[in-house]
Amino acid sequence: MSFSAVIVMIVSIAALWGVATITLVHSMRQEGRKLSLLQEQGNFEPFSPAAQHDIEEWLARNPEGEKAREMRELLELQNQARRNNSRHFYHWANS
Amino acid sequence: MTTTISREQWGSRFGYLMAVIGAMVGAGNIWRMPYVTGENGGGAFLIAYFTLLYLIAVPGLMGETSLGRYTRQGLLGTFRKVYGNNRMVGLGLVILIFNVVLMSYYSSVVGWSVYYAYHALIGTFTQTDFDTAALWQAFSANKPLNVGMHTLAMLMVTGILLFGIKGGIERLAKWMMPILTIALIAIAIRGLTLPGAIAGLEFAFSPNWDYLVRGETWLAALGQALFSTGLGWGIALTYGSYLGRNDDIPLGGGIFTAVGNTSFGLLAIFAVFPIVFAFGISPSSGPELAFVALANAFGSMSAGYIWALLFFMGFFFANLTTAIAITEVGVTTYKEERQLPRGKAVLTICGIIWLLGIPSALNANILGYLDFVLGNWGLPLATFLIMVTIGWKFDAKRLRIMSLNRGADLYVSSIWEAVVRYQIPAIMLAIMAYFLYSNLSQTPWKTVSGLIVLTLMIPLCMWFMSRRHDTDSTNTFVEGRRS
């Protein structure tokens, strides 16, 4: 088997089975963390710091209307979860 | 806040991931990908394929799944929620019809795999001097048997779907996908120990870099990336609608689904080509590869009974989990639209598919024609409609903020919005135009007739949904006056 074919084969295995296995394991672990937070405190914050920033930015640009109301409710849900829970799912630098 | 409808959910993360992988891994991964890879420059094709997988399939699947999770409804309910209760819901009906038609002939493929799994079980392929080509020809010519296999396949799909999302689809996928993985790994290990097997890997992986600058390579990679992942057919949307509000989508529904699905294609290369080359079989794809060439090779191998059984059972599992997913799109939608118990919806949709599938089971030309029209234009059109709906009507930015990044294990940035808004719809239009250009001179009748049917379907479906909306409004008004 040629050297280039061996390299392509190894890279393909790493890029597919490697990535698939890592994502599966990471995804299962994260789910385990979520379940543990749910059992301990009933809920957790649904958005990461970057995702929360997106909501705030969107609301600043679109403050009125039905869609803004829906977005504001999500932000409130997020803030409540952050306030009421001692343990967080996402990493918050200043918490 | 979005109205939360009380509905079934996946029982576990692992169950959802196996179900969604099972939905995407089908016949194409096993009997198509190895050949397409080898024929299009091996490593060069894989590079083109990986690029398109991450540029199109991964972001597309993220969008479709997150829209389903946001609306928590099937195809028509989702389109109604996005467009309002008007004729535009007809676009969802178009995709639903594509799914039903797709399943009507895919059920025959499931039937073939049931038939061959049965023959593997009773040891047909290991009989002395057994002629696998004769078996395939006799089976193809036996119309009642083909209808019987199609019926059996639909009965299996019906039986599983009657148990619901968690008790049926999830429970099945949690067993079948690991078994399929083990079966393919075992066959690959056995294949690699055969003399001459390495030539198969050389054929598949040896990079021919000239192919990387050929348009055909990229088109083949695009076709494989799109059709193998089932992007835009409503499957990811339907399965996503059963996710919890804070379940992750980008990592599981996007990256794992697309990459995991392709991983089975890679495994198939290891399982199929060493055997093909070890036995001096000409590399090919489709039914000829699986049912004639490989069946023959298994019969000639030591302990061939086990390898044939593992391969054909695995092949059957792959097809069955895909068939279940395609059918579930119709079941979920019909159940919600008619507000029926799940059992009635399953029996109705499976009954319709069974009836529509009889012509394809009787005549391979009908199956080929439907596959030609749907593969070339129907499914790219479905993907185009879903992506335009996500990107423009719903607003990709709003979906990313509200649903995609909610509970996400991986933050998705705003670049994703441009991919969904511009890149995927433009590629879909280009692929449809290319297929039209390349097929018009070779198969003018099939191309023109298929395009006429598809072109008429959109206004017809929109008219139907508009009429239905008017009828519902009138009934509501009359009932209101009575009360």
Side-chain angles (χ1 to χ4, degrees), chain B residues 237-258:
Chain B
L237 184 145
T238 304
Y239 275 22
S241 74
Y242 293 103
L243 280 171
R245 282 270 175 239
N246 292 330
D247 283 343
D248 157 79
I249 288 175
L251 199 64
I255 294 175
F256 177 76
T257 305

Side-chain angles (χ1 to χ4, degrees), chain A residues 59 62-64 68-77:
Chain A
L59 276 169
N62 310 277
E64 303 296 330
R69 192 182 62 79
E70 196 179 6
M71 201 70 86
R72 205 163 278 122
E73 281 182 14
L74 276 184
L75 187 60
E76 181 53 31
L77 189 76

Side-chain angles (χ1 to χ4, degrees), chain B residues 4 12 66 92 94 116 124 135 141 150 175 209 215 229 239 249 260 269 305 345 366 378 395 401 424 466 479:
Chain B
T4 302
S12 67
S66 55
V94 171
Y116 272 76
T124 303
L135 178 71
H150 156 65
W175 285 101
W209 301 119
T229 54
Y239 275 22
I249 288 175
I269 293 176
Y305 174 82
I366 295 174
D395 182 6
I401 294 173
I424 303 179
S466 164
E479 277 167 21

Side-chain angles (χ1 to χ4, degrees), chain A residues 1-6 8-24 26-28 30-31 34 38 43-52 54-58 61-62 66-67 69-71 73-74 77 89-90, chain B residues 1-2 13-14 17-18 33 42-44 46 49-50 53-54 70 181 185 198 201-202 205-207 209 246-248 251-252 255-256 258-260 262-264 266-267 270 393-395 397-398 400-403 405-409 411-412:
Chain A
M1 200 170 165
S2 65
F3 180 70
S4 56
V6 172
V8 169
M9 189 178 79
I10 291 169
V11 170
S12 301
I13 293 170
L16 292 173
W17 278 97
V19 172
T21 308
I22 289 167
T23 50
L24 178 65
H26 183 69
S27 188
M28 298 295 294
Q30 292 291 78
E31 197 62 15
K34 282 180 185 172
L38 285 174
N43 67 357
F44 57 88
E45 79 283 12
F47 295 97
S48 67
Q52 183 182 323
D54 284 341
I55 297 178
E56 289 161 348
E57 198 183 64
W58 193 94
R61 288 184 184 181
N62 310 277
E66 177 66 19
K67 288 171 185 173
R69 192 182 62 79
E70 196 179 6
M71 201 70 86
E73 281 182 14
L74 276 184
L77 189 76
F89 178 68
Y90 294 105
Chain B
M1 179 65 72
T2 314
R13 183 75 179 157
F14 183 71
L17 293 175
M18 290 303 108
M33 182 152 174
L46 288 173
Y49 182 76
F50 292 159
L53 192 73
Y54 280 98
Y70 174 82
T181 312
I185 290 173
I198 299 302
L201 297 185
E202 182 77 38
F205 292 110
S206 182
W209 301 119
N246 292 330
D247 283 343
D248 157 79
L251 199 64
I255 294 175
F256 177 76
V259 175
T262 312
S263 299
F264 279 92
L266 183 74
L267 200 49
F270 282 104
K393 183 62 188 173
F394 187 90
D395 182 6
K397 189 178 186 72
R398 200 161 72 92
R400 182 179 70 86
I401 294 173
M402 295 186 72
S403 182
N405 275 330
R406 182 168 183 172
D409 295 338
Y411 172 73
V412 178

Side-chain angles (χ1 to χ4, degrees), chain B residues 14 40-41 52 54 60 65 77 102 107 134-135 157 161 169 190 207 238 270 302 315 317 326 374 387-388 425 456 460:
Chain B
F14 183 71
N40 289 284
L52 294 171
Y54 280 98
T65 309
L102 172 66
S107 152
L135 178 71
V157 171
L161 289 179
I169 300 173
R190 177 67 186 102
T238 304
F270 282 104
S302 59
F315 190 61
F317 288 172
I326 300 169
L374 270 189
M387 289 303 135
V388 166
L456 286 176
L460 269 174

Side-chain angles (χ1 to χ4, degrees), chain B residues 288-331:
Chain B
E288 286 285 319
L289 171 74
F291 299 141
V292 179
L294 282 175
N296 187 37
F298 289 132
S300 310
M301 284 162 68
S302 59
Y305 174 82
I306 292 169
W307 306 117
L309 187 63
L310 280 176
F311 178 81
F312 285 111
M313 288 305 285
F315 190 61
F316 161 58
F317 288 172
N319 288 331
L320 184 65
T321 46
T322 302
I324 286 165
I326 300 169
T327 312
E328 181 58 38
V329 175
V331 169

